[in-house]
Amino acid sequence: MGTSDLTRAPQWWLGHSNIDIDIHTLMTAGVDLASSLLTDETALHAFVGRLMDIENRLSAARLCTESSVFSASLLETAFERGWMPAELVHVVGQGADKAAAPMLVVLLGEHARRSHAFSRAPQEWIGQLRTLGVDPGAELAGLRTNRRVTPHAFWTTFLHLNATVRRLPTMETTGPPPSLWGEKSPSGRVRSDDKVLNKIRGLLAKAESSSFSGERESFSAKAQELMTRYAIDTAMVDARSTDPIDSRVSVRRFTVDNPYVDAKMRLFSSVARPNGVKTVHYRRFQLVAAVGMPVDIDLCELLYTSLLVQSAMELDAVGVDSSKRGRGFRRSFLFAYAQRVEERITEAFVRARTEAGEQYGTALVPVFAERDRAVTAMFDEMFPNLTSRKTSFSNRSGWHHGRVAADRADITGGREKIED
């Protein structure tokens, strides 16, 4: 649709008087207007006003119901282009309109109901819906009748939200889209043992919350033992599988929240690299893609989350000094923290492989070499045209405090020790 069409279509609807209206065409015109960089806000305001007039003649419930169907079709397209539910809510939530993300959660409920997601989708998809609080029974009309939101604000949010979803680019696929639900997933998509991960997660939580160093060390040591043993034993078990190792490589994306997104992305990569996981940063969307073996990605996620908590605690501790609360200090702190964490994990992982070699003998080296080859091959195939970006930081005090804090950090994913 050209620029002239973008300006003509809303004007046509502004003068439309027939009550038998094609809602899909109507909403497409509104989203076109909301999407255009040349949009006149006065024209958009007038279009929303006419939309409210139509709502009065059709009833708010009917317009909301048919508009939800329109949104579900846009969501379906986004999912077929590689996006996941949590990623969409994350991206929409970065905008200035705070009502957009909750509205999207309701619209995801419409899509889940129409696609039977809770009975057909993969477990990771269902897990995201549950974490987001998606309710297949929720209706857009429920938001529309909220007295704290004016009808004009409601429909303006709706148009901008759908415009955002529609203009999202195609992403690399991290799992089967709705059109492929029910088909057998590749072996590389199989997730790790939730019982083991939950036990490790519980130990990390106790380590983070304890105010006694002895307790923290005890919880961390046990988590370290479990993570190390689980990761290397899994690699040796996988080596006996008849499935091609390339089919077992997985790709997942993680959301990164403000503030200091670039520093937090660097921390994730610092955890990932020593553990055989390769990463790509989507700075525009505040997402990190991780390519690696499923168990390694799971353990990286656990360790990254734990280190985020620990780094925040360290920043709070040094923040009692007003000179250490500035953005420059905190950003330098986090980058230094990430760099030192990577150094420590690299050292620990080398030691872990050496000690594991005493148990598994010469079989360990070729197993990890083949895993590294498979991960690199998948990564290069998915991301052939990457560019790197250098990051600068100038606060020497923040850098120093960040490295000191990282030396105190519990790197329970470093796989320091192998025990029989």
Side-chain angles (χ1 to χ4, degrees), residues 320-337:
V320 296
D321 183 344
S322 60
S323 67
K324 298 179 176 61
R325 297 175 193 163
R327 180 175 180 82
F329 176 92
R330 289 174 174 264
R331 188 167 175 273
S332 296
F333 176 103
L334 290 171
F335 270 103
Y337 186 92

Side-chain angles (χ1 to χ4, degrees), residues 320-398:
V320 296
D321 183 344
S322 60
S323 67
K324 298 179 176 61
R325 297 175 193 163
R327 180 175 180 82
F329 176 92
R330 289 174 174 264
R331 188 167 175 273
S332 296
F333 176 103
L334 290 171
F335 270 103
Y337 186 92
Q339 184 188 75
R340 180 55 184 149
V341 160
E342 182 172 0
E343 292 170 359
R344 289 187 58 201
I345 295 177
T346 300
E347 295 165 359
F349 196 54
V350 169
R351 291 195 300 271
R353 285 199 183 184
T354 300
E355 294 180 15
E358 297 176 3
Q359 177 179 350
Y360 290 107
T362 58
L364 188 65
V365 173
V367 165
F368 276 93
E370 184 64 4
R371 288 162 71 91
D372 291 342
R373 180 208 60 76
V375 170
T376 299
M378 172 69 80
F379 184 84
D380 291 344
E381 178 183 348
M382 294 184 67
F383 306 102
N385 301 309
L386 290 179
T387 58
S388 59
R389 177 185 299 179
K390 291 185 178 180
T391 306
S392 60
F393 29 83
S394 57
N395 192 298
R396 293 180 178 273
S397 176

Side-chain angles (χ1 to χ4, degrees), residues 3 7 30 44 93 126 153 166 176 180 182 214 253 301 306 375 390:
T3 302
T7 57
L44 181 60
I126 295 173
R166 194 180 67 173
L180 297 180
R253 282 191 295 270
E301 180 185 8
S306 177
V375 170
K390 291 185 178 180

Side-chain angles (χ1 to χ4, degrees), residues 51-87:
L51 192 60
M52 292 162 56
D53 291 339
I54 295 172
E55 176 191 81
N56 290 334
R57 288 186 287 122
L58 295 180
S59 85
R62 177 182 166 187
L63 186 57
C64 284
T65 297
E66 296 194 32
S67 297
S68 295
V69 174
F70 167 81
S71 293
S73 68
L74 291 185
L75 290 173
E76 180 79 5
T77 299
F79 294 146
E80 293 295 325
R81 296 171 66 187
W83 288 86
M84 297 284 283
E87 297 170 351

